[in-house]
PDB file of all heavy atoms in Angstrom:
ATOM      1  N   ALA A  22       5.500 -10.214   6.265  1.00 42.00           N
ATOM      2  CA  ALA A  22       4.704 -10.437   5.010  1.00 42.00           C
ATOM      3  C   ALA A  22       4.386 -11.948   4.834  1.00 42.00           C
ATOM      4  O   ALA A  22       3.371 -12.296   4.278  1.00 42.00           O
ATOM      5  CB  ALA A  22       5.498  -9.971   3.832  1.00 42.00           C
ATOM      6  N   SER A  23       5.193 -12.848   5.286  1.00 39.00           N
ATOM      7  CA  SER A  23       5.074 -14.268   5.137  1.00 39.00           C
ATOM      8  C   SER A  23       3.807 -14.738   5.871  1.00 39.00           C
ATOM      9  O   SER A  23       3.208 -15.766   5.514  1.00 39.00           O
ATOM     10  CB  SER A  23       6.242 -15.020   5.632  1.00 39.00           C
ATOM     11  OG  SER A  23       6.477 -14.777   6.989  1.00 39.00           O
ATOM     12  N   LEU A  24       3.358 -13.923   6.929  1.00 37.00           N
ATOM     13  CA  LEU A  24       2.193 -14.359   7.671  1.00 37.00           C
ATOM     14  C   LEU A  24       0.948 -13.599   7.193  1.00 37.00           C
ATOM     15  O   LEU A  24      -0.109 -14.160   7.067  1.00 37.00           O
ATOM     16  CB  LEU A  24       2.419 -14.102   9.169  1.00 37.00           C
ATOM     17  CG  LEU A  24       3.506 -14.911   9.840  1.00 37.00           C
ATOM     18  CD1 LEU A  24       3.643 -14.514  11.314  1.00 37.00           C
ATOM     19  CD2 LEU A  24       3.315 -16.378   9.634  1.00 37.00           C
ATOM     20  N   MET A  25       1.054 -12.291   7.002  1.00 43.00           N
ATOM     21  CA  MET A  25      -0.100 -11.478   6.670  1.00 43.00           C
ATOM     22  C   MET A  25      -0.455 -11.488   5.209  1.00 43.00           C
ATOM     23  O   MET A  25      -1.615 -11.434   4.849  1.00 43.00           O
ATOM     24  CB  MET A  25       0.194 -10.002   7.138  1.00 43.00           C
ATOM     25  CG  MET A  25       0.251  -9.863   8.604  1.00 43.00           C
ATOM     26  SD  MET A  25      -1.301 -10.295   9.477  1.00 43.00           S
ATOM     27  CE  MET A  25      -2.390  -9.054   8.767  1.00 43.00           C
ATOM     28  N   ALA A  26       0.582 -11.449   4.369  1.00 48.00           N
ATOM     29  CA  ALA A  26       0.299 -11.373   2.926  1.00 48.00           C
ATOM     30  C   ALA A  26       0.061 -12.767   2.363  1.00 48.00           C
ATOM     31  O   ALA A  26       0.636 -13.677   2.697  1.00 48.00           O
ATOM     32  CB  ALA A  26       1.456 -10.774   2.241  1.00 48.00           C
ATOM     33  N   GLN A  27      -0.861 -12.803   1.497  1.00 46.00           N
ATOM     34  CA  GLN A  27      -1.329 -14.085   0.913  1.00 46.00           C
ATOM     35  C   GLN A  27      -1.133 -14.061  -0.560  1.00 46.00           C
ATOM     36  O   GLN A  27      -1.794 -13.331  -1.284  1.00 46.00           O
ATOM     37  CB  GLN A  27      -2.769 -14.307   1.267  1.00 46.00           C
ATOM     38  CG  GLN A  27      -3.387 -15.591   0.670  1.00 46.00           C
ATOM     39  CD  GLN A  27      -4.838 -15.702   0.979  1.00 46.00           C
ATOM     40  OE1 GLN A  27      -5.385 -14.855   1.625  1.00 46.00           O
ATOM     41  NE2 GLN A  27      -5.448 -16.682   0.481  1.00 46.00           N
ATOM     42  N   SER A  28      -0.149 -14.828  -1.137  1.00 44.00           N
ATOM     43  CA  SER A  28       0.035 -14.872  -2.560  1.00 44.00           C
ATOM     44  C   SER A  28      -1.029 -15.752  -3.261  1.00 44.00           C
ATOM     45  O   SER A  28      -1.359 -16.758  -2.700  1.00 44.00           O
ATOM     46  CB  SER A  28       1.440 -15.338  -2.890  1.00 44.00           C
ATOM     47  OG  SER A  28       1.644 -16.645  -2.429  1.00 44.00           O
ATOM     48  N   LEU A  29      -1.446 -15.270  -4.369  1.00 44.00           N
ATOM     49  CA  LEU A  29      -2.499 -15.991  -5.093  1.00 44.00           C
ATOM     50  C   LEU A  29      -1.968 -16.955  -6.172  1.00 44.00           C
ATOM     51  O   LEU A  29      -2.515 -17.987  -6.439  1.00 44.00           O
ATOM     52  CB  LEU A  29      -3.477 -15.048  -5.696  1.00 44.00           C
ATOM     53  CG  LEU A  29      -4.149 -14.065  -4.637  1.00 44.00           C
ATOM     54  CD1 LEU A  29      -5.158 -13.163  -5.388  1.00 44.00           C
ATOM     55  CD2 LEU A  29      -4.821 -14.820  -3.536  1.00 44.00           C
ATOM     56  N   ILE A  30      -0.830 -16.491  -6.778  1.00 43.00           N
ATOM     57  CA  ILE A  30      -0.235 -17.394  -7.816  1.00 43.00           C
ATOM     58  C   ILE A  30       1.357 -17.238  -7.636  1.00 43.00           C
ATOM     59  O   ILE A  30       1.756 -16.251  -7.042  1.00 43.00           O
ATOM     60  CB  ILE A  30      -0.546 -17.005  -9.229  1.00 43.00           C
ATOM     61  CG1 ILE A  30      -0.089 -15.514  -9.573  1.00 43.00           C
ATOM     62  CG2 ILE A  30      -1.975 -17.116  -9.476  1.00 43.00           C
ATOM     63  CD1 ILE A  30      -0.244 -15.160 -11.008  1.00 43.00           C
ATOM     64  N   ILE A  39       2.228  -6.749  -6.791  1.00 96.00           N
ATOM     65  CA  ILE A  39       1.288  -5.852  -6.199  1.00 96.00           C
ATOM     66  C   ILE A  39       0.945  -6.235  -4.776  1.00 96.00           C
ATOM     67  O   ILE A  39       0.744  -7.407  -4.540  1.00 96.00           O
ATOM     68  CB  ILE A  39       0.006  -5.815  -7.056  1.00 96.00           C
ATOM     69  CG1 ILE A  39       0.226  -5.319  -8.502  1.00 96.00           C
ATOM     70  CG2 ILE A  39      -1.091  -4.951  -6.349  1.00 96.00           C
ATOM     71  CD1 ILE A  39      -0.915  -5.404  -9.440  1.00 96.00           C
ATOM     72  N   LEU A  40       0.798  -5.236  -3.913  1.00 96.00           N
ATOM     73  CA  LEU A  40       0.263  -5.531  -2.577  1.00 96.00           C
ATOM     74  C   LEU A  40      -1.118  -4.858  -2.535  1.00 96.00           C
ATOM     75  O   LEU A  40      -1.177  -3.635  -2.738  1.00 96.00           O
ATOM     76  CB  LEU A  40       1.165  -4.944  -1.495  1.00 96.00           C
ATOM     77  CG  LEU A  40       0.532  -5.075  -0.093  1.00 96.00           C
ATOM     78  CD1 LEU A  40       0.426  -6.554   0.342  1.00 96.00           C
ATOM     79  CD2 LEU A  40       1.326  -4.234   0.915  1.00 96.00           C
ATOM     80  N   MET A  41      -2.163  -5.598  -2.385  1.00 96.00           N
ATOM     81  CA  MET A  41      -3.533  -5.103  -2.255  1.00 96.00           C
ATOM     82  C   MET A  41      -3.854  -4.971  -0.818  1.00 96.00           C
ATOM     83  O   MET A  41      -3.816  -5.974  -0.056  1.00 96.00           O
ATOM     84  CB  MET A  41      -4.481  -6.017  -2.940  1.00 96.00           C
ATOM     85  CG  MET A  41      -5.914  -5.562  -2.972  1.00 96.00           C
ATOM     86  SD  MET A  41      -6.209  -4.265  -4.190  1.00 96.00           S
ATOM     87  CE  MET A  41      -5.902  -5.191  -5.703  1.00 96.00           C
ATOM     88  N   ARG A  64     -10.213  -8.085  -2.289  1.00 97.00           N
ATOM     89  CA  ARG A  64      -9.967  -9.521  -2.552  1.00 97.00           C
ATOM     90  C   ARG A  64     -10.455  -9.865  -4.025  1.00 97.00           C
ATOM     91  O   ARG A  64      -9.670 -10.511  -4.776  1.00 97.00           O
ATOM     92  CB  ARG A  64     -10.728 -10.395  -1.627  1.00 97.00           C
ATOM     93  CG  ARG A  64     -10.438 -11.910  -1.810  1.00 97.00           C
ATOM     94  CD  ARG A  64     -11.253 -12.736  -0.844  1.00 97.00           C
ATOM     95  NE  ARG A  64     -12.648 -12.677  -1.110  1.00 97.00           N
ATOM     96  CZ  ARG A  64     -13.515 -12.179  -0.199  1.00 97.00           C
ATOM     97  NH1 ARG A  64     -13.146 -11.760   0.929  1.00 97.00           N
ATOM     98  NH2 ARG A  64     -14.803 -12.133  -0.564  1.00 97.00           N
ATOM     99  N   ALA A  67      -8.248  -8.082  -6.567  1.00 97.00           N
ATOM    100  CA  ALA A  67      -6.971  -8.832  -6.753  1.00 97.00           C
ATOM    101  C   ALA A  67      -7.180  -9.999  -7.667  1.00 97.00           C
ATOM    102  O   ALA A  67      -6.277 -10.311  -8.504  1.00 97.00           O
ATOM    103  CB  ALA A  67      -6.464  -9.329  -5.362  1.00 97.00           C
ATOM    104  N   GLU A  71      -5.268 -10.808 -11.348  1.00 93.00           N
ATOM    105  CA  GLU A  71      -4.454 -12.029 -11.601  1.00 93.00           C
ATOM    106  C   GLU A  71      -4.966 -12.970 -12.689  1.00 93.00           C
ATOM    107  O   GLU A  71      -4.285 -13.933 -13.034  1.00 93.00           O
ATOM    108  CB  GLU A  71      -4.287 -12.807 -10.268  1.00 93.00           C
ATOM    109  CG  GLU A  71      -3.315 -12.147  -9.343  1.00 93.00           C
ATOM    110  CD  GLU A  71      -2.672 -13.092  -8.389  1.00 93.00           C
ATOM    111  OE1 GLU A  71      -3.413 -14.056  -7.943  1.00 93.00           O
ATOM    112  OE2 GLU A  71      -1.540 -12.967  -7.988  1.00 93.00           O
ATOM    113  N   TYR A  77       1.458 -10.520 -10.072  1.00 92.00           N
ATOM    114  CA  TYR A  77       1.596 -11.278  -8.894  1.00 92.00           C
ATOM    115  C   TYR A  77       1.069 -10.438  -7.715  1.00 92.00           C
ATOM    116  O   TYR A  77       1.611  -9.417  -7.389  1.00 92.00           O
ATOM    117  CB  TYR A  77       3.040 -11.692  -8.679  1.00 92.00           C
ATOM    118  CG  TYR A  77       3.459 -12.169  -7.271  1.00 92.00           C
ATOM    119  CD1 TYR A  77       2.776 -13.173  -6.678  1.00 92.00           C
ATOM    120  CD2 TYR A  77       4.491 -11.591  -6.587  1.00 92.00           C
ATOM    121  CE1 TYR A  77       3.132 -13.630  -5.449  1.00 92.00           C
ATOM    122  CE2 TYR A  77       4.887 -11.988  -5.400  1.00 92.00           C
ATOM    123  CZ  TYR A  77       4.226 -13.057  -4.757  1.00 92.00           C
ATOM    124  OH  TYR A  77       4.531 -13.488  -3.547  1.00 92.00           O
ATOM    125  N   VAL A  78      -0.087 -10.913  -7.181  1.00 95.00           N
ATOM    126  CA  VAL A  78      -0.755 -10.021  -6.147  1.00 95.00           C
ATOM    127  C   VAL A  78      -0.753 -10.709  -4.785  1.00 95.00           C
ATOM    128  O   VAL A  78      -1.010 -11.858  -4.624  1.00 95.00           O
ATOM    129  CB  VAL A  78      -2.270  -9.824  -6.549  1.00 95.00           C
ATOM    130  CG1 VAL A  78      -2.904  -8.836  -5.575  1.00 95.00           C
ATOM    131  CG2 VAL A  78      -2.325  -9.314  -8.000  1.00 95.00           C
ATOM    132  N   ARG A  79      -0.327  -9.855  -3.756  1.00 94.00           N
ATOM    133  CA  ARG A  79      -0.382 -10.280  -2.411  1.00 94.00           C
ATOM    134  C   ARG A  79      -1.537  -9.458  -1.744  1.00 94.00           C
ATOM    135  O   ARG A  79      -1.792  -8.330  -2.194  1.00 94.00           O
ATOM    136  CB  ARG A  79       0.878 -10.122  -1.665  1.00 94.00           C
ATOM    137  CG  ARG A  79       1.954 -11.105  -2.050  1.00 94.00           C
ATOM    138  CD  ARG A  79       3.222 -10.924  -1.286  1.00 94.00           C
ATOM    139  NE  ARG A  79       4.147 -12.011  -1.499  1.00 94.00           N
ATOM    140  CZ  ARG A  79       5.386 -12.071  -0.914  1.00 94.00           C
ATOM    141  NH1 ARG A  79       5.714 -11.050  -0.101  1.00 94.00           N
ATOM    142  NH2 ARG A  79       6.171 -13.081  -1.152  1.00 94.00           N
ATOM    143  N   MET A  80      -2.064  -9.945  -0.661  1.00 94.00           N
ATOM    144  CA  MET A  80      -3.061  -9.232   0.048  1.00 94.00           C
ATOM    145  C   MET A  80      -2.831  -9.085   1.459  1.00 94.00           C
ATOM    146  O   MET A  80      -2.230 -10.039   2.063  1.00 94.00           O
ATOM    147  CB  MET A  80      -4.470  -9.956  -0.125  1.00 94.00           C
ATOM    148  CG  MET A  80      -5.086  -9.868  -1.501  1.00 94.00           C
ATOM    149  SD  MET A  80      -6.767 -10.453  -1.507  1.00 94.00           S
ATOM    150  CE  MET A  80      -7.561  -9.299  -0.416  1.00 94.00           C
ATOM    151  N   THR A  81      -3.235  -8.015   2.084  1.00 93.00           N
ATOM    152  CA  THR A  81      -3.130  -7.800   3.500  1.00 93.00           C
ATOM    153  C   THR A  81      -4.450  -7.165   3.930  1.00 93.00           C
ATOM    154  O   THR A  81      -4.960  -6.317   3.166  1.00 93.00           O
ATOM    155  CB  THR A  81      -1.975  -6.932   3.922  1.00 93.00           C
ATOM    156  OG1 THR A  81      -2.064  -6.682   5.309  1.00 93.00           O
ATOM    157  CG2 THR A  81      -1.977  -5.575   3.161  1.00 93.00           C
ATOM    158  N   PRO A  82      -5.008  -7.489   5.091  1.00 92.00           N
ATOM    159  CA  PRO A  82      -6.263  -6.867   5.517  1.00 92.00           C
ATOM    160  C   PRO A  82      -5.980  -5.457   6.140  1.00 92.00           C
ATOM    161  O   PRO A  82      -6.991  -4.696   6.460  1.00 92.00           O
ATOM    162  CB  PRO A  82      -6.744  -7.797   6.596  1.00 92.00           C
ATOM    163  CG  PRO A  82      -5.482  -8.513   7.135  1.00 92.00           C
ATOM    164  CD  PRO A  82      -4.632  -8.636   5.969  1.00 92.00           C
ATOM    165  N   TYR A 106       6.891  -6.315   2.086  1.00 91.00           N
ATOM    166  CA  TYR A 106       6.093  -7.171   1.344  1.00 91.00           C
ATOM    167  C   TYR A 106       6.679  -7.516   0.017  1.00 91.00           C
ATOM    168  O   TYR A 106       6.039  -8.259  -0.814  1.00 91.00           O
ATOM    169  CB  TYR A 106       4.662  -6.596   1.097  1.00 91.00           C
ATOM    170  CG  TYR A 106       3.826  -6.573   2.376  1.00 91.00           C
ATOM    171  CD1 TYR A 106       3.866  -5.448   3.200  1.00 91.00           C
ATOM    172  CD2 TYR A 106       3.053  -7.625   2.736  1.00 91.00           C
ATOM    173  CE1 TYR A 106       3.154  -5.398   4.371  1.00 91.00           C
ATOM    174  CE2 TYR A 106       2.290  -7.568   3.898  1.00 91.00           C
ATOM    175  CZ  TYR A 106       2.322  -6.466   4.698  1.00 91.00           C
ATOM    176  OH  TYR A 106       1.620  -6.386   5.885  1.00 91.00           O
TER     177      TYR A 106
END
Side-chain angles (χ1 to χ4, degrees):
S23 60
L24 297 179
M25 291 299 295
Q27 175 182 0
S28 61
L29 304 183
I30 62 172
I39 297 172
L40 175 67
M41 183 76 66
R64 182 184 65 244
E71 286 204 322
Y77 163 53
V78 185
R79 288 182 172 180
M80 290 190 61
T81 175
Y106 289 91

